[in-house]
Amino acid sequence: MSTALVANGDVAAGKPAMGRVASVYSEVQTSRIDHALPLPSVLRSSFKIADGPVSSAAGNPGEIAKLFPNLYGQPSAMLLPSESDTAPVQKLKIGVVLSGGQAPGGHNVISGIFDYLQDRAKGSTLYGFRGGPAGIMKCKYVELNAEYIYPYRNQGGFDMICSGRDKIETPEQFKQAQETALKLDLDGLVVIGGDDSNTNACLLAENFRVKNLKTRVIGCPKTIDGDLKCKEVPTSFGFDTACRIYAEMIGNVMVDARSTGKYYHFVRLMGRAASHITLECALQTHPNITIIGEEVAAKKQTLKNVTDHIVDVIRKRAELGYNYGVILIPEGLIDFIPEVQQLISELNEILANDVVDEGGLWKKKLPSQSLQLFEFLPQAIQEQLMLERDPHGNVQVAKIETEKMLIQMVETELEKRKQEGAYNAQFKGQSHFFGYEGRCGLPSNFDASYCYALGYAAGALLHYGKTGLISSVGNLSAPVEEWTAGGTALTALMDVERRHGKFKPVIKKAMVELDGAPFKKFASLRDEWAIKNRYISPGPIQFIGPASNTVNHTLLLELGAHA
Amino acid sequence: MSTALVANGDVAAGKPAMGRVASVYSEVQTSRIDHALPLPSVLRSSFKIADGPVSSAAGNPGEIAKLFPNLYGQPSAMLLPSESDTAPVQKLKIGVVLSGGQAPGGHNVISGIFDYLQDRAKGSTLYGFRGGPAGIMKCKYVELNAEYIYPYRNQGGFDMICSGRDKIETPEQFKQAQETALKLDLDGLVVIGGDDSNTNACLLAENFRVKNLKTRVIGCPKTIDGDLKCKEVPTSFGFDTACRIYAEMIGNVMVDARSTGKYYHFVRLMGRAASHITLECALQTHPNITIIGEEVAAKKQTLKNVTDHIVDVIRKRAELGYNYGVILIPEGLIDFIPEVQQLISELNEILANDVVDEGGLWKKKLPSQSLQLFEFLPQAIQEQLMLERDPHGNVQVAKIETEKMLIQMVETELEKRKQEGAYNAQFKGQSHFFGYEGRCGLPSNFDASYCYALGYAAGALLHYGKTGLISSVGNLSAPVEEWTAGGTALTALMDVERRHGKFKPVIKKAMVELDGAPFKKFASLRDEWAIKNRYISPGPIQFIGPASNTVNHTLLLELGAHA
């Protein structure tokens, strides 16, 4: 395998914790660096910005208006072809920050901003805040130049400037952000993040406006979970690549299941708050069973219901001679089951206040429904609930390996059915968790182009003096040149939640809609997938040739572009 | 995503448990079906077969000669270009069987045999024995025609005819095989399998010869573990693809580790008997720590030694500001540690004969070294050793999640060092097991071509009346057209082992050689990888364009073709 040495600014600066330190790149990584990215045609020549109609909010517009007196109601901005460039001739000082978990394509958003500035506002400066929003507050940054950015083009990860989970929330923290903006004389700031980070970006935009700072703020939609989206922002970046990576693995496991003929593979997939990843992977691969958290919640299903459903399918398949299969489970399943939430909060209460005796007398304090559920859980899970607590003494729900729990519950239930004479085959469960390996893959061509356009448009929006918008690239089922670009008022995405007696603005997470096209398509096919084997193996992501420029099912179906 | 409907013989036959039943293929799968496979030039035009010198055995030639009186000493066969085809004009009846675990490329071996027969022995018949060697014994087969084979070309899995783990061992079983050979009037049989299956293939060849059957037997080297190889058979098929799939995931996890900066990822990889997969993945990705089972065994390391080594590296990295990393562990690690083997056999003894009291008095029966090791193990592993037993009451070593065990031991050890003031950072371990997802991936171009050539050559060897050979394709670091093809006497690969007072022939598993080029290259670089971050992300397997035709490190280094 041929390799290429790629160094970056960190080497010279001797900074150990950041950046690609004299990395030896693989052949594929190297080839991706120089992959020429297509831009939507509107971004390739002269354009102007056209404002849309006055905007409202996703809910409670009155409260949102009070929270954002300067920004509420502002129109979206659309980039349109123009005879000549209408942006002011001006050098800009722009900052960029990555916020929250990794998603493939983050580096391309930054490349897009950088290239916009190089192309359209020569002499501009781009600062990368290090380690997430904390980098803004502590004014920890690096100046990004062409050489620095080069090795990160079309590469996975967030390590160019790294990310962080801090929030800019308190008056003190807003003051720190103002100081940084003043110190660096920032014209603009691009916040690349999920729902929370984009809410935060809008608060920052409002705050800078109130304080009469010139610094504008533009958000970019990032999260592999796919739960930050709306009409104007059809998808969040990283979702496409992560799903393809998981679907590759699922497809392989399916072929293995069919070849071996003796295992049920229980695959847990990332996505705690929403089940978009699980749904997309199901549409790509056709598993026998797919659990969608939103459906479980809507139907108020219990853990017993979920188990029984799986057992019923396994039983039916056994009758057909299939003692193997593949089952997809969203990471957040447990959070969608009301009775489990109930049990956990009661356990937290008991464990905080009572002595837990070995004889199990403490269990009498559990209401009967919760006690029944507790007794239904496999012993290992019972122990995990009792023993593994976070520093506040609470049950660590995130640590529960749902796929293993389900395997044990299914085993127990099948054993019962065996004794009743309703099942007489052999069940062997294999557990998988596909998580981290999907967050930092090389971005698919879709994510690479989408992110580059998001960044390029963010640069344009700042150049035109826009603030409080989220970069919006649309018409994504068409070829890249036909994509649209612009910005959507972040306040238009917001609603309020009551917290500690105050209204807090939130961009609501986009959940799987049970009457949306992707779920309906899945629901219309799943009975067939359950019994017949319709497995699809998507194979590894291709960068050249067949399947290298496809659009994922969720996006196509939501855009109505799929049969 | 565009899709193509592909059906196969099973649909018509209404057989539910086998084959690709009206599968909807992904775009990549579809594109692979029609991928034109290059053949070594010697296989593309007329050839003759030249015999090499008389062969010997890998060890104890006298005993091997006694076990294979008809086959011992036969020369290897080399296919050489010739003016005209020298094979007899003859229709052949050939059977093929897949034996043991899946490996990417198995379907291409079958395609290769089929195409040979089509090209060079028109009117021949190819039977696929279903479900492994049991299919031979029970005469359970399907006649493979062009239509049947088509959807499996260049596809992963073994589901065209499925595989099995039965062995043909007893006189009764050999008789069943003879009956099938006679019933189907077989001229030849190709056995696709690992070391055991190829030993079996040779016994079958000898048996058919003794019984004066015309049926010849040729083996093919299959195993993702990479432990069936020798000078004439430079690699087993599937190893290349599986390593690339694992390396893709490892590379992604590395980028994640560097971006997040707070996790140590402990990655367990398939490969119980030998650590070739772990070594190849290390050469492809440059992890901070790689445990090679053969080295652990050679240095007689204890679990404490392994833990201390990991802890030392973590401590050094913490001093440099790196509190993250990636650690590769072979699945079979525990089997390489003598003291663990000792403990397990003592536990088996105690648990079989004594009462295990809750107070732990039973532990006094453990010799002090084993007791010390037992107490050193994390509690969860202690419990697993005591509770999870196979039907014979033995500890289930395979069920121990080595990567989780090491995380816990490292945690405990770091806590100690913290208290001694020798470490003051935070350690967070994340565990991964990359296994099943690598066995059934779409074969890489290398495996697709290699398998096709192996199958094509196997067809030729049978056509020329050869038996007891393993299909051998060489010169693999050169372009495909320059590859060599032929067959090697299976007896030349064999030694004997004493079992139940008798000599049994075995093809010895090829272990990682500590003085071999791959390990030496790794050993020369690992100290640098430990401290500096030299991560490489190989990215997904590409079928077109950059990196689509590379040869893996192990093979290149063993062939001396690597700098």
Side-chain angles (χ1 to χ4, degrees), chain A residues 27-65:
Chain A
E27 210 173 320
V28 174
Q29 282 181 299
T30 305
S31 75
R32 293 302 288 167
I33 292 183
D34 293 318
H35 166 66
L37 287 167
L39 261 184
S41 62
V42 66
L43 296 177
R44 280 203 307 248
S45 44
S46 302
F47 54 77
K48 60 183 178 189
I49 292 221
D51 285 340
V54 166
S55 69
S56 178
N60 293 295
E63 296 302 329
I64 296 295

Side-chain angles (χ1 to χ4, degrees), chain A residues 1-3 16-17 19-29 31 102 156-159 162-163 165 244-245 248-249 252-253 255-256 258-260 262-263 265 280 284 286 320-322 324 383 401 404 430 432 434 436-442 533-547 550-553 556 562, chain B residues 1-3 16-17 19-29 31 102 156-159 162-163 165 244-245 248-249 252-253 255-256 258-260 262-263 265 280 284 286 320-322 324 383 401 404 430 432 434 436-442 533-547 550-553 556 562:
Chain A
M1 283 174 198
S2 85
T3 47
R20 309 221 166 181
V21 185
S23 289
V24 181
Y25 268 28
S26 73
E27 210 173 320
V28 174
Q29 282 181 299
S31 75
Q102 286 79 52
F158 272 9
D159 49 317
C162 289
S163 179
R165 295 191 181 273
R244 285 179 203 274
I245 291 172
E248 174 195 355
M249 298 300 122
N252 288 0
V253 164
V255 175
D256 200 275
R258 178 159 51 192
S259 294
T260 315
K262 62 179 179 189
Y263 292 117
H265 294 270
E280 171 65 24
Q284 285 190 29
H286 304 185
L320 296 168
Y322 302 132
Y324 62 89
E383 281 172 17
E401 295 173 308
K404 290 191 179 168
Q430 282 287 351
H432 304 263
F434 298 148
Y436 293 89
E437 51 274 61
R439 305 197 315 177
C440 281
L442 280 162
N533 299 317
R534 296 287 186 250
Y535 301 152
I536 291 188
S537 185
I541 292 177
Q542 296 298 294
F543 296 117
I544 296 176
T550 49
V551 178
N552 64 64
H553 292 265
L556 280 179
H562 208 273
Chain B
M1 281 176 199
S2 85
T3 46
R20 309 221 166 180
V21 184
S23 289
V24 181
Y25 267 28
S26 72
E27 211 174 320
V28 174
Q29 283 180 298
S31 75
Q102 288 79 52
F158 271 9
D159 49 316
C162 289
S163 179
R165 295 190 182 274
R244 284 180 204 274
I245 291 172
E248 175 196 356
M249 298 300 125
N252 288 0
V253 164
V255 175
D256 201 274
R258 180 158 53 190
S259 294
T260 316
K262 62 179 178 189
Y263 293 117
H265 295 269
E280 171 64 26
Q284 284 191 29
H286 304 186
L320 296 169
Y322 303 132
Y324 63 89
E383 282 172 16
E401 295 173 307
K404 290 190 179 167
Q430 283 287 351
H432 304 264
F434 298 147
Y436 293 88
E437 51 273 59
R439 303 198 312 179
C440 281
L442 281 162
N533 299 317
R534 297 286 188 250
Y535 300 151
I536 291 189
S537 184
I541 291 177
Q542 297 298 294
F543 296 117
I544 297 176
T550 49
V551 177
N552 64 63
H553 292 265
L556 280 179
H562 208 273

Side-chain angles (χ1 to χ4, degrees), chain B residues 379-497:
Chain B
Q379 206 195 327
I381 302 293
Q382 289 182 1
E383 282 172 16
Q384 210 171 5
L385 287 175
M386 303 305 292
L387 299 174
E388 298 203 16
R389 342 264 321 157
D390 70 13
H392 309 291
N394 291 324
V395 171
Q396 290 191 283
V397 184
K399 283 217 169 174
I400 295 176
E401 295 173 307
T402 325
E403 72 286 14
K404 290 190 179 167
M405 181 181 80
L406 280 176
I407 288 176
Q408 289 182 36
M409 292 193 305
V410 164
E411 251 170 15
T412 308
E413 194 57 35
L414 282 172
E415 201 45 54
K416 257 195 227 163
R417 307 254 183 136
K418 229 174 209 176
Q419 278 159 17
E420 296 163 9
Y423 174 75
N424 64 357
Q426 244 216 331
F427 168 80
K428 282 187 189 174
Q430 283 287 351
S431 64
H432 304 264
F433 173 47
F434 298 147
Y436 293 88
E437 51 273 59
R439 303 198 312 179
C440 281
L442 281 162
S444 63
N445 279 335
F446 173 83
D447 270 329
S449 301
Y450 180 50
C451 288
Y452 190 64
L454 283 173
Y456 207 91
L461 293 170
L462 287 173
H463 198 181
Y464 280 83
K466 298 291 177 186
T467 190
L469 304 184
I470 183 168
S471 181
S472 310
V473 173
N475 198 26
L476 296 173
S477 59
V480 176
E481 55 260 38
E482 295 169 33
W483 288 359
T484 60
T488 307
L490 277 162
T491 48
L493 275 54
M494 289 186 196
D495 196 344
V496 287
E497 272 182 12

